[in-house]
Amino acid sequence: MSGDDLSIQFAKKLKDLNPSSISIQSLSKWMMFNCKKGAVLVKTWAHETTNAQPDKKINFVWLANDCMQQSKSKGKSEFFLRDFSKVLPEVLSNMGKACKNQPKILDQTRRTIKIWEERQIYDGGTTARFLAALGGETHSYQPSSSSSSGGFSSNNGGAARPAVPPLTGPAGDMVKTLAKVQNLARQCGSVGAQVDNLPKGLFEGHGATAETAERAAHLLSLETGMLDDYKKELTQAMAALRDVLQEEITHFKDNDVRIGLNTQRRKAVELLQGASGRGENPSPPGGPPRRTSGGGGDPRLPQNQGNSPGGGGG
């Protein structure tokens, strides 16, 4: 499909976008499927967001948020994040002016932008620029290496690092499980942000419509399932951590045994060397004492007085 055809198709889908999580997530997945045309999609998104009715603009922001989170978690940041960072200042500036009489929408947008920094989608400098364009507050930040990569955080940027061999055994299992836990935590945070954006009076029994109630039920069901998965993965991570600790304890015990044997050998050598320095001929540890050459002999044995055995004096 050509870029123009894709843009037209995407524009039609955006016109049908509604605030339900099903609508947002399904269109986000469609964008991920066409991620190689990310620049075309982001340009179309910016155009449609700018021309949308003020109360519809937040739906486009939530769509961008879901697409960004998916891009980050699936390692496809290069297809969307850089392009979104280029168009967002102008889009947000337009949104701040169009929604100046709708503080709720502006607050929801600010919370979403802050989530991008918390989830390390964009660095602090970039999110501060977004908030300034929207007309919101800014905050100080320390420039990081990600500033040179278009403002979005990427594990692939920066100077080349020496290759580190992957962990194996219990340690490798623990790292893999913790990665799953971290990914689930990000997804829970994304869904939690959408729950926070629901009408405040919804959970107090008033101000609810059929659409918002359906969306709330879906989000809560989705969040509950994610929390169950998070608990299961976290339990597995703790079990893997116990295996790693047990392996380390066994390793240290083996080292202690080897150190103990080496200490015993060293003491035996020192004893032998000390005895040799005194002119003695010590027996091996645990063996009978040896007779020394020369006069005297062992004082515990009868001594010859110069007579041959069985011979008489005289």
Side-chain angles (χ1 to χ4, degrees):
M1 183 181 297
S2 67
D4 290 341
D5 291 339
L6 188 68
S7 179
I8 294 172
Q9 184 179 357
F10 186 39
K12 291 180 180 178
K13 291 179 178 292
L14 287 172
K15 292 186 187 319
D16 295 331
L17 184 67
N18 63 64
S20 71
S21 58
I22 295 177
S23 177
I24 291 171
Q25 291 174 2
S26 62
L27 189 51
S28 175
K29 289 179 180 178
W30 182 87
M31 293 176 69
M32 291 302 301
F33 180 77
N34 293 281
C35 62
K36 293 184 178 180
K37 298 283 188 179
V40 174
L41 296 178
V42 171
K43 183 178 179 181
T44 305
W45 174 89
H47 180 268
E48 295 299 322
T49 305
T50 301
N51 292 306
Q53 293 296 318
D55 60 336
K56 302 293 184 182
K57 292 180 184 291
I58 189 62
N59 300 340
F60 292 78
V61 173
W62 288 338
L63 173 64
N65 173 63
D66 197 84
C67 182
M68 291 174 189
Q69 303 251 15
Q70 291 289 331
S71 300
K72 183 76 173 179
S73 64
K74 295 181 179 180
K76 297 182 178 181
S77 301
E78 71 275 13
F79 291 113
F80 287 106
L81 300 191
R82 192 186 305 275
D83 292 310
F84 269 123
S85 69
K86 293 177 181 178
V87 302
L88 272 167
E90 184 176 351
V91 170
L92 291 171
S93 177
N94 170 271
M95 188 171 182
K97 296 172 183 176
C99 301
K100 61 182 179 181
N101 295 324
Q102 301 189 46
K104 178 182 176 181
I105 291 179
L106 295 179
D107 287 342
Q108 291 172 335
T109 306
R110 291 189 189 101
R111 282 202 297 268
T112 304
I113 293 172
K114 291 176 181 178
I115 287 172
W116 296 342
E117 182 179 354
E118 292 170 3
R119 304 299 176 192
Q120 298 182 346
I121 303 297
Y122 293 107
D123 61 33
T126 304
T127 56
R129 190 158 52 92
F130 293 163
L131 289 171
L134 182 67
E137 72 278 13
T138 60
H139 55 281
S140 61
Y141 78 103
Q142 295 296 327
S144 63
S145 59
S146 59
S147 299
S148 60
S149 61
F152 64 88
S153 303
S154 173
N155 296 329
N156 300 324
R161 300 176 182 176
V164 178
L167 294 173
T168 58
D173 294 338
M174 182 185 70
V175 170
K176 292 177 183 177
T177 306
L178 286 175
K180 293 180 182 178
V181 171
Q182 186 180 27
N183 186 44
L184 282 169
R186 284 197 296 265
Q187 294 179 15
C188 287
S190 177
V191 176
Q194 295 183 53
V195 173
D196 290 340
N197 289 330
L198 291 170
K200 294 182 179 179
L202 178 63
F203 298 105
E204 299 173 2
H206 57 82
T209 64
E211 183 180 355
T212 55
E214 179 185 359
R215 180 167 178 249
H218 174 74
L219 285 175
L220 292 175
S221 175
L222 187 62
E223 189 172 29
T224 300
M226 285 183 175
L227 289 173
D228 289 340
D229 291 341
Y230 179 84
K231 180 180 178 181
K232 181 180 69 175
E233 294 294 344
L234 188 60
T235 301
Q236 293 180 2
M238 293 174 65
L241 178 59
R242 284 195 294 269
D243 292 341
V244 171
L245 292 175
Q246 186 59 48
E247 187 179 53
E248 290 298 316
I249 290 172
T250 303
H251 175 70
F252 285 128
K253 285 182 178 179
D254 291 343
N255 282 342
D256 287 342
V257 171
R258 286 193 290 271
I259 291 171
L261 291 174
N262 289 335
T263 301
Q264 292 178 11
R265 293 191 188 100
R266 185 173 64 252
K267 288 182 178 179
V269 170
E270 290 173 353
L271 288 173
L272 290 171
Q273 290 175 344
S276 299
R278 294 191 298 271
E280 299 176 356
N281 188 16
S283 60
R290 295 177 180 173
R291 296 286 298 274
T292 59
S293 59
D298 195 324
R300 294 174 293 176
L301 299 177
Q303 304 293 314
N304 275 332
Q305 301 298 326
N307 298 325
S308 61

